[in-house]
Amino acid sequence: MKFLMLLFQFIFIYGFFFLGQLLRELFSIPLPASIIGFMLMFAALLLKLVPLRFVDSTATLLLSFLPLFFIPATVGVIEYLDVFTGKGFFLIVVIIFSTLLTMAASGSTSQYLGRRIEARKEQK
Amino acid sequence: MMSDLLVAFFFIGFTFAAYFLMNLLYLRFHFSFLMPALTATFIIVLFLLMTGTSYETYMTGGQWVDSFMGPAVVALAIPLYKQRKLLFDNLVPVLSGILVGVVIGMASGITLAKLFGFSRTLILSLLPKSITTPVAMEVTEQLGGIPSLAAVFVMIAGFSGIIVGPAFLKLLRIETPIGIGMGLGASAHGIGTAKALEYGAQEASVSSVAMSLSAVIGSFLAPVFVWFFFL
């Protein structure tokens, strides 16, 4: 019974992904189908078109296995192992440097604006 | 025909087994470099190399596991919905942090990679490195990069974010839950969010919101960056 419910919910979630694919094809939207599906699902939840309990348990289950699902695609790196030899080392340097810049920029922006809004609230 | 099916089943089973065994190892020692996404991939790659099996053959089974990736991204809307109060209460700081993070992350990635003279294909694969893996792969594929390389670059971004991150955040005096959560989630996606949980529930919530929305904003902006930098 529990299994049937999970299966049904999964088909329902899959439907949103399928709808994302369909819309992407129909209107040639330059976004990943999964992101279109994600936005539709978020909107449906906010608008109460889909009750949370209807998707909650399957979504939690799916997300706990998320790393498993992208292993096959990652294994594809086997065809590009030469990228990481020689000059490829600098790719890693670029990624580390750019990641830290991202962290500094996003973290300090949110902290600064968060504090400013807090301060303004206290003044009132 | 029959043997093709057996091969497919074997690789489905192998992928699951590698994942679950490595997950047990990770749960036992909780060391970042033992994350199953990294170790299980390593084991499978090693197995394919040692047995001389092609990726194509592996994917006869692997594609079945792969097909859950899209619906799992859709499922990310559920935790975001559960965090909606946090999101709407801090809409300006959260959205600004994500937007700045995506812009700086992509612009610096392209600029640095161009400086080192890397090919267009590599730059396109590196562009979504701060976006959660399944979305990064789709974004890269759409732009003409190599999804599996994107996955590896995303992993490198994640690991550098959590290894250097804590000391770096301290150095920059980023100390509020919203600052820490945003910094980790917007740069190191899921891996960063796992780290944010060590700081506290609030940091982790901000980080998971940052991760989901960075994926959305990043997939909107990636094609714009490609156009802007004349890639």
Side-chain angles (χ1 to χ4, degrees):
Chain A
M1 200 54 219
K2 172 100 175 149
F3 174 76
L4 271 178
M5 186 200 71
L6 287 175
L7 183 70
F8 189 69
Q9 290 190 353
F10 176 73
I11 294 169
F12 186 74
I13 294 176
Y14 200 94
F16 275 77
F17 175 59
F18 183 73
L19 199 61
Q21 282 179 316
L22 200 71
L23 290 172
R24 197 186 116 92
E25 292 297 316
L26 275 178
F27 303 104
S28 9
I29 306 171
L31 286 176
S34 62
I35 284 293
I36 302 173
F38 166 94
M39 291 190 295
L40 291 174
M41 177 64 86
F42 188 58
L45 286 164
L46 282 180
L47 297 171
K48 312 269 178 215
L49 295 174
V50 172
L52 180 61
R53 61 176 169 77
F54 198 70
V55 283
D56 200 10
S57 41
T58 300
T60 310
L61 189 69
L62 263 179
L63 289 175
S64 64
F65 288 106
L66 186 60
L68 166 67
F69 303 144
F70 57 75
I71 287 172
T74 314
V75 170
V77 77
I78 197 168
E79 294 182 328
Y80 304 96
L81 290 176
D82 55 313
V83 167
F84 296 96
T85 56
K87 190 181 157 195
F89 170 74
F90 290 103
L91 271 174
I92 299 176
V93 177
V94 167
I95 294 171
I96 294 177
F97 199 72
S98 171
T99 301
L100 291 179
L101 275 177
T102 308
M103 185 182 289
S106 58
S108 46
T109 302
S110 289
Q111 173 164 291
Y112 173 74
L113 291 173
R115 277 182 173 161
R116 261 190 62 167
I117 290 169
E118 281 299 310
R120 206 185 302 162
K121 265 186 207 157
E122 275 167 29
Q123 270 179 5
K124 276 180 188 168
Chain B
M1 191 59 215
M2 188 59 205
S3 69
D4 284 356
L5 206 63
L6 279 176
V7 168
F9 273 119
F10 172 75
F11 281 116
I12 295 173
F14 193 77
T15 307
F16 267 84
Y19 176 76
F20 283 108
L21 282 174
M22 289 301 109
N23 204 26
L24 281 179
L25 196 71
Y26 176 67
L27 292 176
R28 174 82 179 73
F29 295 105
H30 255 286
F31 183 56
S32 304
F33 276 106
L34 289 179
M35 276 189 181
L38 181 68
T39 48
T41 303
F42 182 76
I43 286 177
I44 295 167
V45 167
L46 211 63
F47 178 84
L48 297 182
L49 286 176
M50 281 188 339
T51 55
T53 313
S54 72
Y55 180 57
E56 203 184 331
T57 308
Y58 167 72
M59 279 310 270
T60 56
Q63 61 175 325
W64 294 98
V65 182
D66 193 67
S67 62
F68 282 89
M69 206 158 62
V73 171
V74 173
L76 280 171
I78 284 89
L80 182 67
Y81 176 72
K82 288 182 186 167
Q83 308 289 356
R84 66 191 179 286
K85 187 164 158 34
L86 176 117
L87 171 64
F88 294 133
D89 284 353
N90 300 281
L91 202 59
V92 174
V94 167
L95 287 186
S96 312
I98 291 167
L99 194 63
V100 169
V102 169
V103 169
I104 298 285
M106 289 190 174
S108 67
I110 294 180
T111 312
L112 289 168
K114 269 191 156 181
L115 223 58
F116 281 100
F118 285 112
S119 69
R120 178 190 147 91
T121 316
L122 280 179
I123 297 178
L124 292 175
S125 312
L126 177 142
L127 190 65
K129 66 183 184 320
S130 285
I131 299 182
T132 184
T133 311
V135 180
M137 285 203 250
E138 268 195 273
V139 167
T140 291
E141 184 162 37
Q142 199 170 296
L143 296 173
I146 301 161
S148 63
L149 276 181
V152 173
F153 295 158
V154 170
M155 244 182 244
I156 298 174
F159 282 115
S160 53
I162 61 162
I163 291 166
V164 194
F168 190 60
L169 289 168
K170 210 176 244 177
L171 183 78
L172 296 172
R173 302 228 173 101
I174 295 175
E175 54 208 4
T176 58
I178 199 167
I180 291 171
M182 178 58 60
L184 289 169
S187 68
H189 45 85
I191 301 181
T193 302
K195 188 81 195 168
L197 201 59
E198 292 174 20
Y199 284 89
Q202 217 184 337
E203 283 87 347
S205 302
V206 176
S207 186
S208 96
V209 168
M211 175 189 88
S212 309
L213 291 181
S214 289
V216 176
I217 295 180
S219 46
F220 270 93
L221 290 187
V224 179
F225 273 97
V226 173
W227 170 79
F228 185 78
F229 281 87
F230 302 105
L231 278 169

